[in-house]
Amino acid sequence: MFLSKVSNVNVSRAVKPLALLPLLSVGLLLSSVSFQALSATDPIDAKDPLLLAVKSDFRTPNNVQRDTYRHPYETLEFFGVKPTDTVVELWPGGGWYAEILAPYLNNNGHYIGAIFDSNPKDEAQKNGYRATSAKKFNTWIENNKTHVSQAEVVTFDPPSYYSLGQNNSADVVLTFRNLHNWAMKDYLLPVFQSAYKVLKPGGIFGVVEHRGKEGMLANSGYMEQDEVIALAKKVGFTLAASSEVNANVADMKDYPNGVWSLPPRLKGGDTDKQKYLDIGESDRMTLKFIKPTR
C-alpha cells in the first residue's frame, strides 16, 4: 500500500510553519518543505522562545553536538510546536529532545514523556534496559525541577501499555527515530492509533524516522516513507507536509549493521569508523500529520 510522492515546494525560513495551518483541512495541499539549517553561530532572538530553548546552556554539550544532524530548531518549527501546547513525546530515550521541549513548554504548556514501564511485574525485567531507562528519565525530571517542573510522564510500553492519556487531550504527539522498533514487533499500527486518540481534532503528529529504500526491512533500522504515510492515512491522519530538513544524501543505507553502523551508534567499532563519521547520521524523513477536525 503506497501513496504517490509529494511535490517539492521550497519555503524560506521567513515563512513560519504556522502559515500552513489554514491549509490543514480535508483535501489540503500536500507539500514538501525544506528549511535552511540553523547555524551554530546564528544570533539568538530573545523573542523566540524555541530558539532560546535550543541554544540554552541547560542542554547537555554532547547532545548539542548532534544538532548539526538533527536540526532541532528547524524540525520543531516545521511541526509548529508552540510554547502553550500540550506535547506528548513517544519514547524520549535519553532525553535528547526532552532537554529542549520540557523547558520550552514549562511556563505555559505541558510536556509529557511517554516512557517505558519503570516497575514491570516480571522480575526478570525490573533491571532490564527498559525499566532502567524509565527510571533514569524520572530521575532526570526530579533533578531538574527548576527547568522542567511541569513535565510529567505516562507509561507507554507496548504491548502492555498503549494509552497516552485522555482522548483528545494533546496538541502535538512527536516521535523521533522510533518507528522501526515498533514495526519489528508489529506494534506500529496500534502505536499510530494511540497517537490519533490522544490528539485533539486539528492536532499534529510529528514523525522523524530513518528513511529506507524500497523493500528494506525494519530490522535494518530504516523504514519506507510511503509505507509510513500510508499507515498514518489508514489510521485517519492527513499528511499536512513533509520536510527534507533531516535528509542526508550521503547515506547509502547498505551497511553491515544497518543504520546502527552510522553515528552516533557506530556499531562496527573501529571498522570503517571514519567512513561512517564522514557520512554522518542517517537520512531521515520528517513528516507532519494532522488529525482532521471533522
Side-chain angles (χ1 to χ4, degrees):
M1 179 168 60
F2 296 92
L3 295 182
S4 61
K5 299 287 186 180
V6 297
S7 60
N8 289 322
V9 178
N10 290 325
V11 179
S12 77
R13 286 189 55 197
V15 181
K16 299 295 184 182
L18 294 181
L20 298 175
L21 291 182
L23 299 177
L24 302 184
S25 58
V26 177
L28 56 77
L29 177 66
L30 300 184
S31 62
S32 177
V33 183
S34 61
F35 290 92
Q36 179 184 345
L38 179 69
S39 168
T41 60
D42 281 357
I44 295 178
D45 182 353
K47 296 181 180 179
D48 187 340
L50 178 56
L51 188 56
L52 288 172
V54 170
K55 294 289 189 177
S56 172
D57 290 339
F58 175 67
R59 298 183 62 203
T60 305
N62 285 343
N63 287 346
V64 174
Q65 291 179 6
R66 308 246 65 81
D67 285 5
T68 187
Y69 302 115
R70 298 182 178 181
H71 313 104
Y73 178 82
E74 294 82 2
T75 299
L76 295 174
E77 187 183 50
F78 170 71
F79 289 144
V81 181
K82 302 184 295 295
T84 54
D85 283 341
T86 293
V87 177
V88 180
E89 183 186 3
L90 307 185
W91 283 11
W96 198 93
Y97 262 99
E99 281 189 345
I100 299 170
L101 286 166
Y104 173 64
L105 300 166
N106 201 54
N107 291 332
N108 301 299
H110 189 193
Y111 173 85
I112 302 170
I115 64 174
F116 300 122
D117 185 2
S118 62
N119 188 29
K121 295 178 181 179
D122 188 338
E123 288 294 328
Q125 296 178 3
K126 287 188 180 295
N127 294 315
Y129 166 77
R130 291 194 173 196
T132 300
S133 174
K135 291 171 185 174
K136 286 182 178 178
F137 195 79
N138 280 319
T139 299
W140 175 79
I141 290 177
E142 289 299 318
N143 290 344
N144 292 283
K145 285 296 187 182
T146 301
H147 294 88
V148 300
S149 59
Q150 303 305 311
E152 296 183 3
V153 298
V154 61
T155 301
F156 183 71
D157 203 346
S160 299
Y161 298 94
Y162 277 109
S163 176
L164 292 169
Q166 185 177 354
N167 289 354
N168 306 310
S169 62
D171 299 291
V172 181
V173 174
L174 299 173
T175 175
F176 301 97
R177 307 175 309 281
N178 288 315
L179 301 193
H180 56 281
N181 294 304
W182 299 315
M184 284 189 284
K185 297 289 187 179
D186 203 25
Y187 300 155
L188 196 54
L189 174 60
V191 167
F192 275 37
Q193 289 171 331
S194 296
Y196 189 89
K197 289 176 182 177
V198 77
L199 281 168
K200 301 173 183 177
I204 297 299
F205 182 34
V207 174
V208 176
E209 176 60 307
H210 312 293
R211 176 168 47 197
K213 301 175 183 178
E214 184 176 353
M216 293 186 75
L217 301 178
N219 61 10
S220 68
Y222 292 94
M223 299 286 295
E224 288 186 50
Q225 181 166 320
D226 285 338
E227 290 189 340
V228 172
I229 294 171
L231 181 62
K233 182 179 179 181
K234 178 179 179 180
V235 169
F237 287 110
T238 299
L239 179 65
S242 65
S243 171
E244 293 301 299
V245 68
N246 294 304
N248 180 1
V249 296
D251 180 7
M252 296 295 101
K253 311 169 188 183
D254 57 355
Y255 318 118
N257 293 299
V259 75
W260 301 283
S261 294
L262 298 176
R265 182 70 181 277
L266 295 170
K267 189 175 180 179
D270 290 333
T271 303
D272 291 328
K273 181 178 180 179
Q274 190 58 52
K275 165 189 168 182
Y276 296 127
L277 288 172
D278 290 342
I279 293 170
E281 294 195 16
S282 67
D283 175 47
R284 291 162 187 166
M285 65 183 88
T286 304
L287 306 173
K288 181 178 179 179
F289 298 101
I290 186 170
K291 179 176 179 177
T293 57
R294 60 178 182 272

